[in-house]
Amino acid sequence: MKRIINVLLVALVLTFVPASYACAQRKVRGESREDLAAVLDDNWKCGFIDKTGKLVIPCQWKGAKYFRNGMAEVKDADGKTYFIDKTGKVVQ
């Protein structure tokens, strides 16, 4: 009975999530900070979505932390760390 309720609850929640978000991302990785939240896609790459669920920074990073002071720390496939701004541009 609990399983059926859980399945119905998930189905109900997904009806309120934009279709592009439900298909493109695997899960949200933590809370939204500075109006952006890190997400994982089906290939386990990280990107960022806005509050509407729109992907604003493509899923291309191996790891990502939340935004603080307009920047977020991300890691590439080799483990090298970068900081990006809210447009996804690497900050020098």
Side-chain angles (χ1 to χ4, degrees), residues 5 26 29 31 39:
I5 292 172
R26 187 175 203 78
R29 295 194 65 222
E31 63 190 75
V39 292

Side-chain angles (χ1 to χ4, degrees), residues 1-61:
M1 184 66 170
K2 282 184 180 180
R3 184 164 175 82
I4 292 171
I5 292 172
N6 286 340
V7 169
L8 291 174
L9 184 59
V10 168
L12 177 66
V13 169
L14 287 177
T15 62
F16 294 105
V17 176
S20 61
Y21 174 76
C23 297
Q25 282 76 42
R26 187 175 203 78
K27 67 177 184 172
V28 175
R29 295 194 65 222
E31 63 190 75
S32 174
R33 298 243 178 128
E34 295 189 22
D35 297 329
L36 296 174
V39 292
L40 285 172
D41 68 5
D42 291 334
N43 296 316
W44 295 94
K45 299 283 185 171
C46 296
F48 291 87
I49 58 169
D50 64 14
K51 287 186 175 186
T52 67
K54 178 183 173 193
L55 188 65
V56 293
I57 298 175
C59 296
Q60 61 184 347
W61 305 103

